[in-house]
Amino acid sequence: MYNYIVLKHKVFPLSQLPIEKVISPIISELKSNQTLILKAPPGAGKSTYLPLQLILQNAIQGKIIMLEPRRLAAKSIAYYLAEQLGEKIGKRIGYRIRGETNVGQNTKLEVVTEGILSRMIHADAELEGIGLIVFDEFHERSLHADTALAFCLDIQEVLRDDLKLLVMSATLDHAALKELLPDARYIESHGRSFPVEYRYSPIPKNQNLEDHVAKQVRWLLNNDQGSILVFLPGISSIKVVEQKLQYLDESIQVCPLHGGLDFHQQQMAITPSKEGQRKVVLATNIAETSLTIEGIRLVVDSGYERVAKFDLKSGITKLEQKKIAQSSAEQRAGRAGRMTAGVCVRLYSLEQLNQQPSRPKPEILTSELSNLVFDLAKWGVTNPEDLRWLDCPPQSAIAQARSLLVALGVIDYKGKLTELGSMVSHSGLEPRIGAMLSFDSDTRVTASLIAALLEEPEKNIDFSHSVSRFESAMHRKQKLVARRAEKIAHDLGCSFNMEQFEHRTVSLLLAIAFPDRIAQARVDQYGEFLLSNGQGVTISDEEKLAGSRYLVVLDLIRTTHQRTIVSSAIELDIDALQIFCPSLFAEDEVLFWNRNKGTLCAEVQLKCGRLIIERKSLPAPDRAKITQALLDLVQREGLSVLGWDTKSQDMLERIRCAQSWLPEEPWPDFSQQGLLDSIENWLSPYLIDIHTLSQLQSIDLYDVFNAFLGWPLNKMIDEWLPSHYQLATGSRIKIQYKEGCAPTLAVRIQEVFGEKSSPMIAKGKQALVLELLSPAGRPLQVTKDLASFWAGSYQDVQKEMKGRYPKHIWPDNPAEHVATTKTKRHFKS
């Protein structure tokens, strides 16, 4: 958003750019300080004029590395800067992006994507020859940028106190950055301001997003001047809107712009329109920053974006459509006022915007962190808190990432690199792919092609189709994939030769890269699979792969209905995998309950992760194993698997009430979790000679709990919280106990005559709630204060009951009357 990337069209002279006014202070601060924070609005020239001036004024000793979050921006900025110097790319200005490098011996400024910087740091921890690292568009808070900044701060502190850092953007969180970088200097550039008119047009309830966008675009084309930039949440929305706009006038060019397009297609979207023509650019949030599309003065902002969110529970990253933060809305609107006054149509209300967070959530808090943990291991850090972060990565996500990396064999349980991990580290690729490439020197040609194909995914679900198309020279990116495969193979020390490619090992190598996503078909559920990490996934019934016994799943989509759909996979021969990589399998001796038979069974299971590949029955296990299996059953399925009757359930409720009302006594933990945690203590002694589920359910839990209470608590509880209450009439009535509630006694009202106050239990701490009943046993009154009832509302009850039950006694002073179960006739006699 902050530069001019189109090479052959009129732009504002560099001397008119607002950043010029603060160039001298910036250079001065960089010479005398190690860290600088720069805030400059869209179009100020911080990504163009500033780096050029740093080079022309020889302000930095050593090379300048400038990070850009996106490949398109990095490459385009480099070409533009080279043209400003009148040079070809690769001279003083160069760039590095994935799979493409254009730098020379005399390059002073390299524009790189963030993953490239991480590799540079690991290749040379001292960053020899580099004087300044510029973090452009830092507000995006990508995982790579946060990690690279943490490493650079560590380098500054330990290895290179002369290394300079410049962090810049238009919407920086200045307060957070100053806390992280307390010694950093701060400079703000106030840029040229073109007014932007804001219009709010929320999507009607009876209309979908794409229809409303198309309607707004047509209205703007008919009523306003200039080209239009439309921000949509994702590629699918772009395609739908593009289809709806296909019959516009020939003078209007509709161009998509997203990360899935190649560089040439992206350039078509950002180059200026021909004279007499207008352009409608349908873009994802790729167009929020770092790109200038000349002629744009109208912006339509859907208010949505698609972001990747990692689900710790399932281990799956889901693309979610969500509302944008206020800073993103500011960035989008700013595109309308870059060259002249413009208009921003927001498809949401101002009230809705104000309810959104000021900034988006950083990737480090929502992403899968295996690459980060691997980077930390390469850096020699096992605890992320040893580095300085704007937001420290969550420990739960770190733990899950470590589990995956241990499964891949690239780190050990202490978080340190293994021998394989060191080999993967040198490859510069992510851990999954690196583990596959380093698996066996004989498979590196095949693995190199797989890695290149994975970087350029096609739409088909079956990955083997992409492999076949490449073998037939029909892949849509044949040359790009071939070049990338050759580069990967070269880095591994071998030459790429398709004669050495083995189609049969493709799925086996992918299982090495995705050991947690080996999938087994569920019995009698066509298209349903269980992953080796324990998660269930679905594949469309229409796909041939749905009928496979085993798959390796490469990519997944988590739907809004919490279903996980396979979007890329390949069929797997599980028997061949056992021979190819036996370390993925383990034998386990297992005891389990056969629900149908109600008996304990023993078997040896061949497992791949959580998948059971084969079973072999074993003879009956010994007594200790049976006992442990019974305990495991209860812990796994819960206390409900035991044999509960009313007496044992009442005992449990009474004990739990005692724990609450008399906490000073040394009660064992009788909570649900407490009983499960201590199950060996209280249940094991009763499992002798228990072999079947029916026998387990015949255990008398009343006796078990009494024994677990121990003396004297098992005696005192009957005194403190008796199971029954003895009335003056001789009746013995059960007290109802329930955890979290007061104790209750349901009693006929005549039987509590003579009681002056409510009975007390639990060492006098709890009054019994009396549910007073009529002679027929129907509820009359509920009271916790019997004295107040006698003095008050009893008179109303007396008046009504005298008429309904005239044969029974209804004294005027019940507190002084003798308790009874008899009628008036018995009193007369």
Side-chain angles (χ1 to χ4, degrees), residues 26-39:
I26 289 172
I27 292 177
S28 176
E29 292 294 351
L30 283 174
K31 286 182 177 179
S32 57
N33 295 281
Q34 300 312 110
T35 309
L36 177 64
I37 301 170
L38 172 62
K39 182 176 181 180

Side-chain angles (χ1 to χ4, degrees), residues 278-310:
R278 300 170 71 182
K279 182 179 287 188
V280 177
V281 179
L282 307 176
T284 61
N285 56 5
I286 191 176
E288 278 184 21
T289 57
S290 298
L291 295 175
T292 294
I293 308 172
E294 190 172 335
I296 297 294
R297 65 170 297 273
L298 306 172
V299 168
V300 177
D301 178 12
S302 69
Y304 288 97
E305 64 181 347
R306 287 178 71 82
V307 295
K309 184 177 181 181
F310 183 62

Side-chain angles (χ1 to χ4, degrees), residues 193-200 297-299 329-346:
S193 177
F194 291 110
V196 175
E197 176 191 346
Y198 294 93
R199 301 173 187 169
Y200 295 89
R297 65 170 297 273
L298 306 172
V299 168
E330 180 184 341
Q331 295 276 10
R332 293 181 177 190
R335 306 311 305 273
R338 295 292 293 274
M339 303 296 186
T340 184
V343 174
C344 177
V345 181
R346 288 172 165 168

Side-chain angles (χ1 to χ4, degrees), residues 463-678:
F463 183 76
S464 65
H465 292 169
S466 290
V467 177
S468 298
R469 272 194 292 278
F470 183 85
E471 289 183 287
S472 304
M474 296 176 62
H475 193 280
R476 66 185 184 92
K477 294 186 178 180
Q478 186 77 19
K479 292 182 179 179
L480 179 63
V481 171
R483 285 197 304 270
R484 182 61 177 149
E486 289 168 2
K487 173 68 166 57
I488 294 171
H490 178 268
D491 291 344
L492 292 171
C494 62
S495 58
F496 183 76
N497 185 343
M498 280 302 290
E499 292 181 2
Q500 298 176 26
F501 178 78
E502 294 182 299
H503 200 120
R504 66 179 182 83
T505 63
V506 170
S507 62
L508 305 178
L509 286 166
L510 285 167
I512 304 298
F514 298 91
D516 53 325
R517 294 190 190 170
I518 295 170
Q520 181 186 61
R522 293 184 185 273
V523 179
D524 301 326
Q525 290 181 288
Y526 189 80
E528 299 289 330
F529 291 81
L530 179 67
L531 297 181
S532 50
N533 65 9
Q535 294 300 312
V537 298
T538 302
I539 193 168
S540 172
D541 291 352
E542 301 171 359
E543 296 292 335
K544 184 179 177 181
L545 290 177
S548 303
R549 285 185 62 229
Y550 289 93
L551 301 170
V552 181
V553 177
L554 311 179
D555 205 1
L556 300 158
I557 298 173
R558 188 84 165 168
T559 69
T560 52
H561 302 294
Q562 300 305 307
R563 294 184 71 214
T564 304
I565 308 298
V566 175
S567 57
S568 179
I570 189 169
E571 191 167 24
L572 176 67
D573 183 339
I574 199 72
D575 296 326
L577 183 62
Q578 290 180 54
I579 299 171
F580 188 74
C581 186
S583 63
L584 288 176
F585 299 83
E587 283 193 346
D588 193 12
E589 203 172 296
V590 179
L591 301 175
F592 66 95
W593 284 95
N594 186 314
R595 282 288 189 183
N596 296 327
K597 297 179 180 179
T599 57
L600 187 66
C601 298
E603 64 183 26
V604 173
Q605 296 178 351
L606 178 67
K607 301 181 77 173
C608 178
R610 298 191 187 181
L611 303 179
I612 301 173
I613 311 300
E614 292 178 359
R615 301 174 184 264
K616 293 180 183 177
S617 296
L618 289 175
D622 60 33
R623 178 69 257 160
K625 289 184 177 179
I626 292 176
T627 298
Q628 188 58 52
L630 289 164
L631 296 174
D632 291 343
L633 172 69
V634 178
Q635 285 188 313
R636 184 175 64 252
E637 306 217 0
L639 298 175
S640 59
V641 77
L642 298 173
W644 292 91
D645 56 15
T646 302
K647 185 179 179 183
S648 57
Q649 185 65 55
D650 289 347
M651 178 66 164
L652 180 60
E653 291 291 347
R654 194 153 54 109
I655 295 171
R656 287 175 173 173
C657 288
Q659 286 180 301
S660 176
W661 300 336
L662 303 171
E664 69 276 8
E665 299 296 336
W667 306 102
D669 187 353
F670 271 81
S671 67
Q672 186 89 352
Q673 191 58 51
L675 287 171
L676 289 174
D677 290 344
S678 60

Side-chain angles (χ1 to χ4, degrees), residues 650 654 661 720-726 732-738 742-746 761 768-769:
D650 289 347
R654 194 153 54 109
W661 300 336
W720 297 331
L721 276 77
S723 62
H724 292 72
Y725 186 77
Q726 186 77 38
R732 189 169 178 269
I733 299 178
K734 183 178 179 180
I735 301 173
Q736 298 295 329
Y737 293 96
K738 187 171 180 60
T744 303
L745 188 71
I761 62 170
L768 289 179
V769 174

